[in-house]
Amino acid sequence: MEHDQGSLLDEKALAQAATDPAARVEALRREIEHNSYLYYALDAPVLSDAAFDSLMRELRELEAAHPELIDPSSPTQRVGGYVGEQFAPVRHAQRMYSLDNAMDLDELDAWMQRVVDDFGHFPPMDCELKIDGSSIALTYEDGVLTRAATRGDGTTGEDVTANMRTVKDVPLRLRPEALGAVVDPTRPLELRGEVYLSKASFERLNLAAEANGKAPFANPRNAAAGSLRQKDPTITRGRELSTFMYAIAEDDALRVPGQAELLAWLREAGFHVNPDVALCESAEEVRAFCERALEQRESLPYEIDGVVVKVNAFAQQQALGFTARAPRWAIAFKFPPEEKTTLLRDITVQVGRTGALTPVAELAPVVVAGSTVARATLHNLDEVHRKDVRVGDTVVVRKAGDVIPEVLGPVLSLRPDDAAPWSMPDVCPSCGSPVIREEGEVAFRCISIDCPAQAQERLLHWASRGALDIDGMGEEIVSRLVEVGRLTDVADYYSLDEAELSLLDMGRVNKEGAPIRLGATIAAKLVAAIEASRTRPFARVLFGLGIRHVGKTIAEALAGAFPSIDALAAATEEELAAVEGIGPKIARSVYVFLRVPENVAVIDRLRRAGVTLADEATGEERPQTLAGLTFVLTGSLSGMTRDEAGAALKALGAKVAGSVSKKTSYVVAGEAAGSKYDKAVALGVPVLDEAQLARILETGEPPAPEE
Ligand code: AMP
């Protein structure tokens, strides 16, 4: 095939376009697909970007002139389709499994030994990098992409076809050269892999988030999953997602004998396949691959969190089979959490909404597990002393659970001579009032009622998702409103008006030197969000008030026993303490809070603003069919949030606990279930998937015991 840049735009071609546009359109599509294959699958582009774009332009123009020729699998049709409010559920024809983990080389050896014991010899194993993204299943019918679905709970995922079509390395049609190996081309062919964000795209995305005052993504994996679940495919397109494909749902749907051969076929079919693979003949080779991958980790343009080792031959895979959760023929060798050293520039003190002072490590920014870390909580003074970290130290940093940055300790040999032990300031860094430490408490506190830092934290807490959920009311806007004196307490939210908000000076100037204002669009959204917050249930309001020791669960227990603020305010300390889950300390805190005149005044103003301060009589209650059962929820559910699932279970009389014990009746495991799942298995607690949970909520019946 010729690839000189002008060849497709010469006169002959233009003549063809005029006389037989259908043939020309088809020729252009083939040419574009072929060049995508060279670019993505083989990583060996021949055309320049400009020439490629010119082909696309011609195709687009021809399709515009002949709309009858438009076809959903045309390369011009990568964006289209509307995603409804909810992504439609997709039941996977074959379960999408998770992988068992080997946390170190010894565990990896033990797994390999078990396989060797089974077969009596070392079966060839395919080693691949474990891409840190989100799993995806792509279905092709007659060679054309018809559906893309997330893993979900493994049984049911979400339909993300419109979004995956925007991912440039996903072929909309399989290359005809590869179709020969498909056993029955009329049957849907489901291929699987990982959709991910490169480190560079991730960084760009987070910089943009920061510039727009949004919270950054914790890691590329979350960013990829979030990008995939956008309601608007044009947003997904802008996120620059990529894929690496590596699996097939039914391995007998293709005439290939094993994993290595499958990867070669996937590449032939036009998919992006990771080149870093090895077919290993011995345990030493597998170990060497893992060690090499660990060394390469940093220099790769995308995040990996381990190596996946797979018994290569499909026949041998079938002989080994699956457990309930994962294949027996594969294991994920997980890298240890990445640790970095950096300079501890300072230890600052943050004042929380209850006045607790928290020391925070201010670090020289360093990239750990995919994102930049510049701050990490040091929790309290005892912790600072236990870790013995001092300003000026070089410290070791990692991300707990790959998300929360954590300072492990100092590198003592690098400590400067003048580094002194750190101590808490005597006065609050925000308001200058004296700091106290109560008997038996770890935390130091500022107890001034006028402390602006506390006020700001209380205001943010009120607006937070678990409380009144005022969407968009973030730190920057709240702190501006506090600074200009428009927000002092939570009742002030309900007197903000749209015109005033839109003119709010954000304390920054634009290129021309004019002050940046909040603007009408955001102001309108905020006012709508404030309006919506008025109808949140009483328990959320109670939680939002930020009474010391009253977290979400306690607020729910209190609202259950005293369904209005008046009933609660009328209760004695003893009556409060009689509620299950409420001890004397909490009872005292609630009792006192509701008698502080300033608080009573705020509550009165909230009442006048129409905020829910009493639950409607619930009328008919659902029968408490789950009474006596305790559920633990883990992982993310696709159809609802964990909070919603918990509330629905409670409405049926169940208890919902935060950790797994022998008393747990059921663990509901969503996607990416973690240690709670493992604990459930270890304790023999039955594990339910999301579909089973849905059935329970629908019928109100506990699950039938397994045979
Ligand atoms: P985990 O979620 O930690 O149980 O790991 C299992 C997941 O690893 C799978 O569901 C895949 O999404 C992902 N994964 C990433 N790279 C690979 C690979 N090369 N082979 C198989 N799974 C992979």
Side-chain angles (χ1 to χ4, degrees):
M1 199 171 294
E2 289 201 16
H3 289 289
D4 90 275
Q5 302 185 6
S7 71
L8 285 148
L9 298 169
D10 61 15
E11 273 172 38
K12 211 170 103 207
L14 291 174
Q16 186 195 20
T19 55
D20 189 354
R24 179 67 186 160
V25 160
E26 184 54 25
L28 282 167
R29 287 179 188 160
R30 288 257 174 260
E31 186 64 14
I32 289 167
E33 284 166 355
H34 180 68
N35 280 287
S36 296
Y37 162 72
L38 295 175
Y39 186 91
Y40 292 110
L42 301 191
D43 196 18
V46 175
L47 278 192
S48 69
D49 288 358
F52 185 86
D53 291 346
S54 145
L55 292 177
M56 279 293 272
R57 202 173 318 121
E58 188 194 344
L59 178 58
R60 231 179 253 125
E61 280 164 11
L62 266 179
E63 287 179 346
H66 302 278
E68 73 283 3
L69 296 179
I70 295 181
D71 180 291
S73 67
S74 169
T76 56
Q77 303 300 305
R78 283 199 175 267
V79 176
Y82 168 76
V83 185
E85 268 307 290
Q86 205 95 64
F87 293 91
V90 173
R91 236 191 128 72
H92 299 300
Q94 297 287 320
R95 200 181 147 81
M96 283 180 89
Y97 285 89
S98 181
L99 290 171
D100 280 334
N101 292 331
M103 301 312 287
D104 53 36
L105 287 174
D106 289 344
E107 287 187 22
L108 175 63
D109 274 337
W111 175 79
M112 287 195 283
Q113 191 55 51
R114 279 203 296 283
V115 175
V116 169
D117 290 346
D118 257 7
F119 287 114
H121 62 91
F122 186 94
M125 293 190 190
D126 168 80
C127 290
E128 299 168 20
L129 300 179
K130 186 165 186 295
I131 313 301
D132 203 5
S134 198
S135 353
I136 193 78
L138 303 175
T139 302
Y140 290 81
E141 287 170 60
D142 278 329
V144 174
L145 175 68
T146 50
R147 195 162 73 187
T150 62
R151 178 167 72 174
D153 64 2
T155 311
T156 310
E158 288 180 314
D159 188 328
V160 289
T161 314
N163 287 341
M164 280 307 288
R165 292 174 64 87
T166 70
V167 178
K168 290 204 192 111
D169 65 15
V170 169
L172 300 179
R173 289 198 289 194
L174 301 180
R175 294 178 71 240
E177 291 83 339
L179 290 180
V182 179
V183 173
D184 180 358
T186 61
R187 280 190 40 203
L189 185 66
E190 185 179 322
L191 304 166
R192 295 172 174 178
E194 202 79 356
V195 49
Y196 69 94
L197 269 175
S198 69
K199 289 177 185 170
S201 299
F202 173 70
E203 206 148 299
R204 263 198 298 281
L205 183 60
N206 268 355
L207 281 177
E210 217 170 290
N212 293 325
K214 299 222 176 90
F217 288 103
N219 53 41
R221 177 171 11 115
N222 293 0
S227 303
L228 207 52
R229 300 184 75 259
Q230 291 296 322
K231 300 274 157 66
D232 177 359
T234 56
I235 295 187
T236 306
R237 184 172 57 173
R239 295 283 171 90
E240 305 174 339
L241 289 165
S242 309
T243 58
F244 279 127
M245 299 301 287
Y246 49 70
I248 181 163
E250 288 162 288
D251 53 34
D252 52 7
L254 270 189
R255 288 187 200 91
V256 294
Q259 177 64 17
E261 296 82 359
L262 171 66
L263 295 179
W265 181 85
L266 285 168
R267 192 171 288 124
E268 168 78 11
F271 292 100
H272 195 200
V273 175
N274 193 288
D276 259 318
V277 294
L279 190 56
C280 298
E281 303 287 343
S282 68
E284 290 73 49
E285 284 180 42
V286 171
R287 271 198 304 271
F289 184 93
C290 293
E291 280 163 1
R292 200 153 14 97
L294 190 50
E295 281 165 24
Q296 281 178 331
R297 179 181 200 184
E298 188 104 0
S299 58
L300 289 171
Y302 44 84
E303 286 291 338
I304 58 174
D305 61 343
V307 168
V308 186
V309 184
K310 305 174 183 174
V311 170
N312 190 63
F314 289 152
Q316 288 179 328
Q317 292 185 1
Q318 275 160 16
L320 288 167
F322 294 83
T323 65
R325 190 183 104 98
R328 286 202 184 84
W329 45 263
I331 191 110
F333 166 70
K334 286 267 185 144
F335 292 153
E338 197 181 7
E339 291 180 4
K340 288 283 183 66
T341 55
T342 189
L343 183 69
L344 178 60
R345 287 179 172 161
D346 197 3
I347 297 178
T348 55
V349 171
Q350 218 169 40
V351 187
R353 70 187 151 83
T354 59
L357 304 190
T358 306
V360 178
E362 305 287 343
L363 305 160
V366 59
V367 177
V368 188
S371 60
T372 305
V373 173
R375 309 184 82 205
T377 174
L378 290 166
H379 304 288
N380 53 56
L381 182 66
D382 294 351
E383 187 80 356
V384 176
H385 288 164
R386 194 180 61 73
K387 288 186 170 153
D388 185 26
V389 283
R390 302 178 185 188
V391 174
D393 269 342
T394 298
V395 291
V396 181
V397 182
R398 77 158 176 218
K399 278 205 199 152
D402 267 357
V403 178
I404 302 159
E406 177 186 16
V407 173
L408 292 179
V411 181
L412 285 176
S413 55
L414 297 177
R415 171 168 288 170
D417 293 338
D418 57 353
W422 187 78
S423 56
M424 265 295 168
D426 300 329
V427 297
C428 169
S430 170
C431 68
S433 327
V435 163
I436 61 144
R437 188 184 209 175
E438 281 167 24
E439 263 307 294
E441 287 240 350
V442 214
F444 287 73
R445 258 170 225 290
C446 160
I447 52 166
S448 160
I449 196 137
D450 292 325
C451 174
Q454 287 181 50
Q456 174 164 330
E457 292 302 317
R458 276 199 296 271
L459 288 159
L460 282 168
H461 174 71
W462 178 265
S464 70
R465 192 165 302 166
L468 279 282
D469 193 12
I470 307 182
D471 197 24
M473 194 60 82
E475 192 164 339
E476 194 186 1
I477 296 174
V478 169
S479 86
R480 284 306 295 160
L481 288 166
V482 170
E483 262 171 62
V484 300
R486 267 308 273 119
L487 276 187
T488 312
D489 59 55
V490 297
D492 292 334
Y493 277 126
Y494 300 92
S495 66
L496 292 172
D497 79 45
E498 201 171 318
E500 165 191 34
L501 275 173
S502 76
L503 293 175
L504 179 71
D505 183 341
M506 295 306 288
R508 289 181 274 134
V509 290
N510 64 15
K511 275 192 226 114
E512 285 80 47
I516 295 180
R517 303 198 181 272
L518 189 62
T521 320
I522 301 182
K525 278 194 188 151
L526 285 177
V527 167
I530 292 170
E531 182 57 39
S533 77
R534 287 187 163 99
T535 56
R536 307 281 178 241
F538 175 51
R540 304 256 299 260
V541 174
L542 204 51
F543 171 58
L545 286 173
I547 306 170
R548 229 174 121 196
H549 307 306
V550 179
K552 240 169 146 173
T553 318
I554 301 289
E556 279 165 15
L558 284 170
F562 303 97
S564 71
I565 196 83
D566 297 329
L568 196 65
T572 62
E573 267 185 78
E574 291 70 36
E575 284 166 342
L576 289 169
V579 177
E580 188 172 333
I582 315 280
K585 195 158 125 186
I586 302 174
R588 170 110 206 116
S589 168
V590 174
Y591 185 84
V592 171
F593 183 95
L594 293 172
R595 275 156 191 78
V596 173
E598 285 86 346
N599 296 342
V600 175
V602 168
I603 290 169
D604 276 344
R605 284 166 54 223
L606 287 173
R607 193 191 307 268
R608 283 199 294 278
V611 173
T612 310
L613 293 175
D615 276 337
E616 306 266 321
T618 40
E620 268 172 70
E621 279 221 333
R622 285 190 75 176
Q624 304 289 287
T625 40
L626 302 182
L629 297 177
T630 304
F631 287 74
V632 172
L633 300 161
T634 175
S636 53
L637 303 172
S638 51
M640 58 185 123
T641 66
R642 280 215 305 245
D643 283 348
E644 285 163 357
L649 285 168
K650 285 182 195 161
L652 292 165
K655 264 196 183 170
V656 177
S659 60
V660 181
S661 74
K662 276 201 230 123
K663 294 202 197 116
T664 310
S665 320
Y666 297 100
V667 167
V668 179
E671 184 162 16
S675 61
K676 289 181 198 163
Y677 176 96
D678 300 334
K679 186 137 182 226
V681 173
L683 292 176
V685 173
V687 177
L688 308 175
D689 62 22
E690 187 168 0
Q692 288 169 294
L693 171 67
R695 218 167 302 128
I696 296 172
L697 295 179
E698 203 181 298
T699 60
E701 291 306 321
E706 305 241 358
E707 276 71 298

